[in-house]
Coordinates of all heavy atoms in Angstrom, one line a residue:
M1376 N 0.9 -1.2 0.0 CA 0.0 0.0 0.0 C 0.9 1.2 0.0 O 1.8 1.3 0.7 CB -0.8 0.0 1.2 CG -1.9 1.1 1.3 SD -3.0 0.9 2.7 CE -4.5 1.1 1.8
F1377 N 0.5 2.1 -0.8 CA 1.3 3.5 -0.9 C 0.8 4.5 0.1 O -0.4 4.6 0.4 CB 1.1 4.0 -2.3 CG 1.7 3.1 -3.3 CD1 1.0 2.3 -4.1 CD2 3.2 3.1 -3.5 CE1 1.6 1.4 -5.1 CE2 3.7 2.3 -4.5 CZ 3.0 1.4 -5.2
A1378 N 1.7 5.3 0.7 CA 1.3 6.4 1.5 C 0.8 7.5 0.7 O 1.2 7.8 -0.5 CB 2.7 6.9 2.2
Q1379 N -0.2 8.2 1.2 CA -0.9 9.2 0.6 C -0.1 10.5 0.8 O 0.2 10.8 2.0 CB -2.3 9.4 1.0 CG -3.3 8.3 0.5 CD -4.7 8.5 1.0 OE1 -4.9 8.8 2.2 NE2 -5.7 8.6 0.1
N1380 N 0.2 11.3 -0.2 CA 0.9 12.6 0.0 C -0.1 13.7 -0.4 O -0.9 13.5 -1.3 CB 2.0 12.6 -1.0 CG 3.2 11.7 -0.5 OD1 3.5 11.5 0.6 ND2 3.8 11.0 -1.5
F1381 N 0.0 14.8 0.4 CA -0.7 15.9 0.2 C 0.2 17.1 0.2 O 1.2 17.1 0.8 CB -1.8 16.1 1.3 CG -2.8 14.9 1.3 CD1 -2.7 13.8 2.2 CD2 -3.8 14.8 0.3 CE1 -3.6 12.8 2.2 CE2 -4.7 13.7 0.3 CZ -4.6 12.7 1.1
T1382 N -0.4 18.2 -0.4 CA 0.4 19.4 -0.4 C -0.2 20.5 0.4 O -1.5 20.8 0.4 CB 0.4 19.9 -2.0 OG1 1.1 18.9 -2.7 CG2 1.3 21.2 -2.1
V1383 N 0.7 21.2 1.2 CA 0.3 22.4 2.0 C 1.0 23.6 1.2 O 2.2 23.4 0.9 CB 0.7 22.3 3.4 CG1 2.1 22.1 3.7 CG2 0.2 23.5 4.2
S1384 N 0.3 24.6 0.9 CA 0.9 25.7 0.2 C 0.2 27.0 0.6 O -0.8 27.0 1.2 CB 0.6 25.5 -1.4 OG -0.8 25.4 -1.6
G1385 N 0.8 28.1 0.2 CA 0.2 29.4 0.6 C 1.2 30.5 0.3 O 2.3 30.3 -0.3
F1386 N 1.0 31.6 0.9 CA 1.9 32.7 0.8 C 2.5 33.1 2.2 O 1.9 32.9 3.2 CB 1.2 34.0 0.3 CG 0.8 33.8 -1.2 CD1 -0.3 33.3 -1.6 CD2 1.8 34.2 -2.2 CE1 -0.7 33.2 -2.9 CE2 1.4 34.0 -3.5 CZ 0.2 33.5 -3.9
V1387 N 3.7 33.7 2.2 CA 4.3 34.1 3.4 C 4.5 35.6 3.3 O 5.0 36.1 2.4 CB 5.7 33.5 3.7 CG1 6.4 33.9 5.0 CG2 5.7 32.0 3.5
E1388 N 3.9 36.3 4.3 CA 3.9 37.8 4.3 C 4.2 38.4 5.6 O 4.0 37.8 6.6 CB 2.6 38.3 3.7 CG 1.4 37.9 4.6 CD 0.1 38.4 4.0 OE1 0.0 38.5 2.8 OE2 -0.9 38.5 4.7
D1389 N 4.5 39.7 5.5 CA 4.7 40.5 6.6 C 3.3 40.8 7.3 O 2.5 41.3 6.6 CB 5.5 41.8 6.3 CG 5.7 42.7 7.6 OD1 4.8 43.4 7.9 OD2 6.8 42.8 8.0
S1390 N 3.2 40.6 8.6 CA 1.9 40.8 9.2 C 1.4 42.2 9.2 O 0.2 42.5 9.3 CB 1.9 40.2 10.6 OG 2.8 40.9 11.5
K1391 N 2.4 43.2 9.2 CA 2.0 44.6 9.3 C 1.8 45.2 7.9 O 0.8 45.9 7.6 CB 3.1 45.3 10.1 CG 3.0 45.0 11.5 CD 4.1 45.7 12.3 CE 4.1 45.3 13.8 NZ 5.2 45.8 14.5
S1392 N 2.7 45.0 7.0 CA 2.5 45.6 5.7 C 2.0 44.8 4.6 O 1.5 45.3 3.6 CB 4.1 46.0 5.2 OG 4.7 44.8 4.9
G1393 N 1.9 43.5 4.8 CA 1.3 42.7 3.8 C 2.3 42.2 2.7 O 1.9 41.5 1.8
E1394 N 3.5 42.8 2.8 CA 4.5 42.5 1.8 C 4.9 41.0 1.9 O 5.0 40.4 2.8 CB 5.8 43.2 2.1 CG 6.9 43.0 1.1 CD 8.2 43.9 1.5 OE1 8.1 44.7 2.4 OE2 9.1 43.7 0.8
K1395 N 5.0 40.4 0.6 CA 5.3 39.0 0.5 C 6.8 38.9 0.8 O 7.6 39.7 0.4 CB 5.0 38.5 -0.9 CG 3.5 38.7 -1.3 CD 2.5 38.0 -0.6 CE 1.2 38.1 -1.1 NZ 0.2 38.4 -0.2
L1396 N 7.1 37.8 1.6 CA 8.5 37.6 2.0 C 9.1 36.5 1.0 O 8.7 35.4 1.0 CB 8.4 37.0 3.5 CG 7.9 38.1 4.5 CD1 8.0 37.4 5.8 CD2 8.7 39.4 4.4
I1397 N 10.0 36.9 0.2 CA 10.8 36.2 -0.8 C 12.0 35.4 0.0 O 12.8 36.0 0.6 CB 11.4 37.0 -1.9 CG1 10.1 37.7 -2.6 CG2 12.1 36.2 -2.8 CD1 10.5 39.0 -3.4
G1398 N 12.0 34.1 -0.2 CA 13.1 33.3 0.4 C 12.9 32.9 1.8 O 13.9 32.6 2.5
A1399 N 11.6 33.0 2.3 CA 11.4 32.5 3.7 C 11.5 31.0 3.7 O 11.2 30.3 2.7 CB 10.0 32.8 4.1
N1400 N 12.0 30.4 4.7 CA 12.0 29.0 4.9 C 10.9 28.4 5.6 O 10.4 29.0 6.6 CB 13.2 28.6 5.8 CG 14.6 29.0 5.0 OD1 14.8 28.7 3.9 ND2 15.3 29.8 5.6
I1401 N 10.2 27.3 5.0 CA 9.1 26.7 5.7 C 9.5 25.2 5.8 O 9.8 24.6 4.8 CB 7.8 26.8 4.8 CG1 7.4 28.3 4.7 CG2 6.6 26.1 5.4 CD1 8.1 29.0 3.5
Y1402 N 9.4 24.6 6.9 CA 9.8 23.2 7.2 C 9.0 22.5 8.3 O 8.4 23.3 9.1 CB 11.3 23.1 7.4 CG 11.8 23.7 8.6 CD1 12.0 23.0 9.8 CD2 12.2 25.1 8.6 CE1 12.5 23.7 10.9 CE2 12.7 25.8 9.7 CZ 12.8 25.0 10.9 OH 13.3 25.6 12.0
D1403 N 9.0 21.3 8.2 CA 8.4 20.5 9.3 C 9.2 20.3 10.4 O 10.4 20.0 10.2 CB 7.9 19.2 8.7 CG 7.5 18.2 9.8 OD1 6.6 18.7 10.7 OD2 8.0 17.1 9.9
Q1404 N 8.7 20.5 11.7 CA 9.6 20.6 12.9 C 10.1 19.2 13.1 O 11.3 19.1 13.6 CB 8.7 21.0 14.1 CG 9.5 21.2 15.3 CD 8.6 21.7 16.4 OE1 7.4 21.4 16.5 NE2 9.1 22.5 17.4
S1405 N 9.5 18.2 12.9 CA 10.0 16.8 13.3 C 10.9 16.1 12.1 O 11.8 15.4 12.5 CB 8.9 15.8 13.6 OG 8.0 15.7 12.5
T1406 N 10.5 16.3 10.9 CA 11.3 15.7 9.8 C 12.3 16.6 9.1 O 13.1 16.1 8.3 CB 10.4 15.2 8.7 OG1 9.7 16.3 8.1 CG2 9.3 14.2 9.3
Y1407 N 12.1 17.9 9.3 CA 13.0 18.9 8.7 C 12.8 18.9 7.1 O 13.6 19.5 6.5 CB 14.4 18.8 9.1 CG 14.7 19.0 10.6 CD1 14.9 17.8 11.4 CD2 14.7 20.2 11.0 CE1 15.1 18.1 12.7 CE2 14.9 20.4 12.4 CZ 15.1 19.4 13.3 OH 15.3 19.5 14.6
R1408 N 11.8 18.4 6.6 CA 11.5 18.5 5.2 C 10.9 19.8 5.0 O 10.0 20.2 5.8 CB 10.5 17.4 4.7 CG 11.1 16.0 4.8 CD 10.2 14.9 4.5 NE 9.7 15.1 3.0 CZ 8.8 14.3 2.5 NH1 8.2 13.3 3.2 NH2 8.4 14.5 1.3
G1409 N 11.4 20.6 4.0 CA 10.8 21.9 3.8 C 11.1 22.5 2.5 O 11.5 21.8 1.6
T1410 N 10.8 23.8 2.3 CA 11.0 24.5 1.1 C 11.3 26.0 1.4 O 11.3 26.4 2.5 CB 9.7 24.3 0.3 OG1 9.8 24.9 -1.0 CG2 8.5 25.0 1.0
T1411 N 11.4 26.8 0.4 CA 11.6 28.2 0.4 C 10.5 29.0 -0.4 O 10.2 28.4 -1.5 CB 13.0 28.5 -0.1 OG1 13.9 27.7 0.6 CG2 13.3 30.0 0.0
S1412 N 10.1 30.0 0.1 CA 9.0 30.8 -0.8 C 9.7 31.4 -2.0 O 10.9 31.7 -2.0 CB 8.5 31.9 0.1 OG 9.4 32.8 0.6
N1413 N 9.0 31.5 -3.0 CA 9.5 32.0 -4.3 C 9.5 33.5 -4.4 O 9.2 34.2 -3.4 CB 8.9 31.3 -5.5 CG 7.4 31.7 -5.7 OD1 6.8 32.6 -5.0 ND2 6.7 30.9 -6.5
V1414 N 9.6 34.1 -5.6 CA 9.7 35.5 -5.8 C 8.3 36.1 -5.5 O 8.3 37.4 -5.5 CB 10.3 35.9 -7.1 CG1 11.7 35.4 -7.3 CG2 9.4 35.3 -8.3
Y1415 N 7.3 35.3 -5.5 CA 6.0 35.9 -5.2 C 5.5 35.7 -3.7 O 4.4 36.0 -3.3 CB 5.0 35.3 -6.1 CG 5.2 35.4 -7.5 CD1 5.8 34.3 -8.3 CD2 5.0 36.6 -8.2 CE1 6.1 34.5 -9.6 CE2 5.4 36.8 -9.5 CZ 5.9 35.7 -10.2 OH 6.2 35.9 -11.5
G1416 N 6.5 35.1 -2.9 CA 6.2 34.7 -1.5 C 5.4 33.4 -1.4 O 4.9 33.1 -0.3
F1417 N 5.3 32.7 -2.5 CA 4.5 31.5 -2.5 C 5.4 30.3 -2.1 O 6.5 30.1 -2.5 CB 3.9 31.2 -3.9 CG 3.1 30.0 -4.0 CD1 1.8 30.0 -3.5 CD2 3.6 28.8 -4.5 CE1 1.1 28.8 -3.7 CE2 2.8 27.7 -4.6 CZ 1.5 27.7 -4.2
Y1418 N 4.8 29.3 -1.3 CA 5.5 28.1 -1.0 C 4.5 26.9 -1.2 O 3.3 27.1 -1.2 CB 6.0 28.2 0.5 CG 4.8 27.9 1.4 CD1 4.6 26.6 1.9 CD2 4.0 28.9 1.9 CE1 3.5 26.3 2.8 CE2 3.0 28.7 2.8 CZ 2.8 27.4 3.2 OH 1.8 27.2 4.1
S1419 N 5.2 25.7 -1.4 CA 4.4 24.5 -1.6 C 5.3 23.4 -1.1 O 6.4 23.3 -1.4 CB 4.1 24.4 -3.1 OG 3.4 23.1 -3.3
L1420 N 4.7 22.6 -0.2 CA 5.4 21.6 0.4 C 4.5 20.3 0.5 O 3.4 20.3 0.9 CB 5.8 21.9 1.9 CG 6.5 20.9 2.8 CD1 7.8 20.6 2.2 CD2 6.7 21.5 4.1
T1421 N 5.0 19.2 -0.1 CA 4.2 17.9 -0.2 C 4.8 16.9 1.0 O 6.0 16.7 1.0 CB 4.4 17.3 -1.6 OG1 3.9 18.2 -2.5 CG2 3.6 16.0 -1.6
L1422 N 3.8 16.4 1.8 CA 4.2 15.6 2.8 C 3.2 14.5 2.9 O 2.0 14.6 2.4 CB 4.1 16.3 4.2 CG 5.1 17.5 4.3 CD1 4.6 18.3 5.5 CD2 6.5 17.0 4.6
P1423 N 3.5 13.3 3.6 CA 2.6 12.3 3.6 C 1.5 12.6 4.7 O 1.7 13.6 5.4 CB 3.4 11.2 4.4 CG 4.9 11.4 4.1 CD 4.9 12.9 4.0
K1424 N 0.3 12.0 4.6 CA -0.8 12.3 5.4 C -0.4 12.3 6.8 O 0.4 11.3 7.2 CB -1.9 11.2 5.1 CG -3.2 11.3 5.9 CD -4.1 10.3 5.6 CE -5.4 10.5 6.5 NZ -6.5 9.5 6.1
G1425 N -0.9 13.3 7.6 CA -0.5 13.1 9.0 C -0.6 14.5 9.7 O -1.1 15.5 9.1
E1426 N -0.1 14.6 10.9 CA -0.1 15.9 11.7 C 1.4 16.5 11.7 O 2.3 15.7 11.9 CB -0.4 15.6 13.2 CG -1.7 14.8 13.4 CD -3.0 15.8 13.1 OE1 -2.8 16.9 13.5 OE2 -4.0 15.3 12.6
Y1427 N 1.4 17.7 11.5 CA 2.7 18.4 11.3 C 2.7 19.8 12.0 O 1.6 20.4 12.2 CB 3.0 18.6 9.8 CG 3.2 17.4 9.1 CD1 2.2 16.8 8.4 CD2 4.4 16.7 9.2 CE1 2.3 15.7 7.7 CE2 4.6 15.6 8.4 CZ 3.6 15.0 7.7 OH 3.7 13.8 7.0
T1428 N 3.8 20.2 12.6 CA 4.0 21.5 13.0 C 5.0 22.2 12.0 O 6.2 21.8 11.9 CB 4.6 21.6 14.4 OG1 3.7 21.0 15.2 CG2 4.8 23.0 14.8
L1429 N 4.5 23.1 11.2 CA 5.4 23.9 10.3 C 6.0 25.0 10.9 O 5.4 25.8 11.7 CB 4.6 24.4 9.1 CG 3.9 23.3 8.2 CD1 3.1 23.9 7.1 CD2 4.9 22.2 7.7
I1430 N 7.2 25.2 10.6 CA 8.0 26.5 11.1 C 8.3 27.3 9.9 O 8.9 26.8 9.0 CB 9.2 26.0 11.8 CG1 9.0 25.2 13.1 CG2 10.1 27.4 12.3 CD1 10.1 24.6 13.9
S1431 N 8.0 28.6 10.0 CA 8.4 29.6 9.0 C 9.4 30.5 9.6 O 9.2 31.0 10.6 CB 7.1 30.3 8.5 OG 7.5 31.3 7.6
S1432 N 10.6 30.6 8.9 CA 11.5 31.6 9.3 C 12.1 32.5 8.3 O 12.1 32.1 7.1 CB 12.8 30.8 9.9 OG 13.4 30.0 9.0
F1433 N 12.4 33.7 8.6 CA 13.0 34.6 7.7 C 14.0 35.6 8.5 O 13.5 36.0 9.6 CB 11.8 35.4 7.1 CG 12.1 36.3 6.0 CD1 12.4 35.8 4.7 CD2 12.1 37.7 6.0 CE1 12.7 36.5 3.6 CE2 12.5 38.5 5.0 CZ 12.7 37.9 3.7
V1434 N 15.0 36.0 7.9 CA 15.9 36.9 8.7 C 15.2 38.2 9.2 O 14.5 38.8 8.4 CB 17.1 37.3 7.6 CG1 18.0 38.3 8.3 CG2 17.8 36.0 7.2
G1435 N 15.3 38.5 10.4 CA 14.8 39.7 11.0 C 13.4 39.5 11.6 O 12.8 40.5 12.1
Y1436 N 12.8 38.2 11.5 CA 11.5 37.9 12.0 C 11.6 36.8 13.0 O 12.4 36.0 12.9 CB 10.6 37.5 10.9 CG 10.2 38.6 9.9 CD1 11.1 39.1 8.9 CD2 9.0 39.2 9.9 CE1 10.8 40.0 8.0 CE2 8.6 40.2 9.0 CZ 9.5 40.6 8.1 OH 9.1 41.5 7.2
E1437 N 10.7 36.9 13.9 CA 10.5 35.7 14.9 C 9.9 34.6 14.2 O 9.0 34.7 13.3 CB 9.5 36.1 16.0 CG 10.1 37.2 17.0 CD 11.2 36.6 17.9 OE1 11.3 35.4 18.2 OE2 12.2 37.4 18.2
P1438 N 10.4 33.4 14.4 CA 9.9 32.0 13.8 C 8.3 32.0 14.1 O 8.0 32.3 15.1 CB 10.7 30.9 14.3 CG 12.0 31.6 14.8 CD 11.6 32.9 15.2
L1439 N 7.7 31.5 13.2 CA 6.3 31.3 13.2 C 6.0 29.9 13.2 O 6.4 29.1 12.3 CB 5.4 32.0 12.2 CG 4.1 31.8 12.0 CD1 3.3 32.5 13.2 CD2 3.5 32.3 10.8
L1440 N 5.0 29.3 14.1 CA 4.7 27.9 14.1 C 3.3 27.8 13.7 O 2.5 28.6 14.2 CB 4.9 27.2 15.5 CG 6.3 26.7 15.8 CD1 7.2 28.0 16.0 CD2 6.3 25.9 17.2
A1441 N 3.0 26.8 12.9 CA 1.6 26.5 12.4 C 1.4 25.1 12.4 O 2.1 24.3 11.9 CB 1.4 27.1 11.1
S1442 N 0.3 24.7 13.1 CA -0.1 23.2 13.1 C -0.9 22.9 11.9 O -1.8 23.8 11.6 CB -0.8 22.9 14.4 OG 0.0 23.0 15.5
V1443 N -0.7 21.8 11.4 CA -1.6 21.4 10.2 C -1.8 19.9 10.2 O -0.9 19.1 10.6 CB -0.9 21.9 8.8 CG1 0.5 21.1 8.7 CG2 -1.8 21.5 7.7
S1444 N -3.0 19.5 10.0 CA -3.4 18.1 9.8 C -3.6 17.9 8.3 O -4.7 18.3 7.7 CB -4.7 17.9 10.6 OG -5.1 16.5 10.4
L1445 N -2.8 17.1 7.7 CA -2.9 16.9 6.2 C -3.6 15.6 6.0 O -3.2 14.5 6.3 CB -1.5 16.8 5.6 CG -0.7 18.0 5.5 CD1 0.6 17.8 4.7 CD2 -1.5 19.0 4.5
S1446 N -4.8 15.8 5.5 CA -5.6 14.7 5.0 C -6.3 15.0 3.5 O -6.9 14.2 3.0 CB -6.7 14.4 6.0 OG -7.6 15.5 6.1
S1447 N -5.8 16.2 3.1 CA -6.2 16.7 1.9 C -5.2 17.8 1.5 O -4.6 18.4 2.4 CB -7.6 17.2 1.7 OG -7.9 18.2 2.5
D1448 N -5.2 18.3 0.3 CA -4.4 19.5 -0.1 C -4.9 20.7 0.7 O -6.2 20.8 0.8 CB -4.3 19.7 -1.6 CG -3.7 18.7 -2.4 OD1 -2.8 17.9 -1.8 OD2 -4.0 18.6 -3.6
T1449 N -4.0 21.4 1.3 CA -4.4 22.4 2.2 C -3.7 23.8 1.9 O -2.5 23.8 1.5 CB -4.0 22.1 3.7 OG1 -4.7 20.8 3.9 CG2 -4.5 23.1 4.6
T1450 N -4.4 24.9 2.0 CA -3.8 26.2 1.9 C -3.6 26.8 3.2 O -4.6 26.9 4.0 CB -4.7 27.1 1.0 OG1 -4.8 26.5 -0.3 CG2 -4.1 28.5 0.8
I1451 N -2.4 27.3 3.6 CA -2.2 28.0 4.8 C -1.3 29.2 4.5 O -0.1 29.0 4.1 CB -1.5 27.2 5.9 CG1 -2.4 26.1 6.2 CG2 -1.1 28.0 7.1 CD1 -1.8 25.1 7.3
N1452 N -1.9 30.4 4.6 CA -1.1 31.7 4.4 C -0.4 32.0 5.8 O -1.1 32.0 6.8 CB -2.0 32.8 4.0 CG -2.5 32.5 2.5 OD1 -1.7 32.1 1.7 ND2 -3.7 32.8 2.3
L1453 N 0.9 32.3 5.7 CA 1.7 32.5 6.9 C 2.0 34.0 7.0 O 2.6 34.6 6.2 CB 2.9 31.7 6.9 CG 2.7 30.2 6.8 CD1 4.0 29.5 6.4 CD2 2.1 29.6 8.0
S1454 N 1.5 34.6 8.2 CA 1.8 36.0 8.4 C 2.7 36.2 9.6 O 2.4 35.9 10.7 CB 0.3 36.7 8.8 OG 0.6 38.0 8.8
M1455 N 3.9 36.7 9.2 CA 4.9 36.8 10.2 C 5.2 38.2 10.8 O 4.8 39.2 10.1 CB 6.3 36.4 9.6 CG 6.3 34.9 9.2 SD 7.9 34.4 8.5 CE 8.8 34.3 9.9

């Protein structure tokens, strides 16, 4: 039997200005699987079905933690 994979994606932005953050790191706290936001502040990360704590980090900002339960493709916008 194959593990089901799902994608969590969205935008990373500054919480005050709404400016998209280019090159922010987004990764799972337990497996360290992750990605980086692109020139539009967009990220996409595919993981097996399950419970995850995503960490978003960017130079000059406090890291942001977000819990996600992946049982389908999910959109989570991260505001730092």
Side-chain angles (χ1 to χ4, degrees):
M1376 184 174 229
F1377 294 100
Q1379 290 181 307
N1380 291 319
F1381 297 103
T1382 301
V1383 57
S1384 62
F1386 291 91
V1387 184
E1388 64 185 18
D1389 180 280
S1390 63
K1391 294 180 182 169
S1392 70
E1394 179 181 359
K1395 303 299 186 223
L1396 300 179
I1397 300 165
N1400 296 304
I1401 301 91
Y1402 62 95
D1403 170 48
Q1404 185 176 35
S1405 61
T1406 65
Y1407 296 104
R1408 291 177 63 183
T1410 189
T1411 303
S1412 61
N1413 67 14
V1414 296
Y1415 304 105
F1417 181 80
Y1418 76 94
S1419 177
L1420 179 60
T1421 301
L1422 297 165
K1424 181 179 180 177
E1426 304 287 326
Y1427 297 95
T1428 298
L1429 299 181
I1430 299 175
S1431 177
S1432 64
F1433 191 76
V1434 175
Y1436 289 77
E1437 290 291 325
L1439 175 70
L1440 277 68
S1442 295
V1443 60
S1444 177
L1445 283 182
S1446 57
S1447 64
D1448 291 341
T1449 304
T1450 300
I1451 297 178
N1452 294 318
L1453 303 167
S1454 186
M1455 299 183 69

